[in-house]
Amino acid sequence: MRQSILLAGAIALSMLLAMPAHAELKPISRVDPVYPPDAARSQITGFVEVEFTVDATGKVASVSVVDAKPARTFESAAVKAVKQWKFAPGEDGRGKVRLDFNL
């Protein structure tokens, strides 16, 4: 229980620190990434930087990983979360964000 509360708090804090690189692209709806259970059990922390494109309807059209530490640990969770973000219609363009995963 204590670990769940700490994990939720850490994800919330890391999401506050993760801002899109382009100020004009402000999500109206964000989905937090799910901390991978294996990484949580092993107390692994890290980050993922992704670039994404937003289409004219405000949906994320594509997401690509730019950098991640450690590799192959948090990428899937980060990409899955960012793909669910929503932007205002007409806010098409490119953005970049760093998602930190901390316990």
Side-chain angles (χ1 to χ4, degrees), residues 5 14 20 22 25-26 38 44 46 51 54 59 62 65 101:
I5 293 170
S14 68
H22 303 286
L25 283 177
K26 294 182 182 176
D38 290 341
I44 297 171
E51 289 183 340
V54 177
K59 292 183 181 180
S62 65
V65 174
F101 290 80

Side-chain angles (χ1 to χ4, degrees), residues 4-103:
S4 301
I5 293 170
L6 290 174
L7 181 61
I11 290 175
L13 178 60
S14 68
M15 291 305 296
L16 287 175
L17 299 174
M19 301 301 291
H22 303 286
E24 67 272 5
L25 283 177
K26 294 182 182 176
I28 57 174
S29 173
R30 290 176 70 142
V31 173
D32 292 338
V34 175
Y35 211 102
D38 290 341
R41 275 191 295 277
S42 300
Q43 297 186 344
I44 297 171
T45 62
F47 70 90
V48 178
E49 289 181 9
V50 298
E51 289 183 340
F52 58 92
T53 56
V54 177
D55 66 21
T57 68
K59 292 183 181 180
V60 175
S62 65
V63 180
S64 60
V65 174
V66 175
D67 193 14
K69 300 270 190 284
R72 296 180 299 280
T73 303
F74 301 109
E75 290 99 321
S76 179
V79 169
K80 185 176 180 180
V82 173
K83 280 184 177 180
Q84 296 177 69
W85 291 7
K86 303 272 189 263
F87 295 81
E91 282 199 38
D92 57 326
R94 296 184 59 81
K96 185 176 182 179
V97 67
R98 174 179 162 143
L99 303 175
D100 292 308
F101 290 80
N102 297 308
L103 295 172

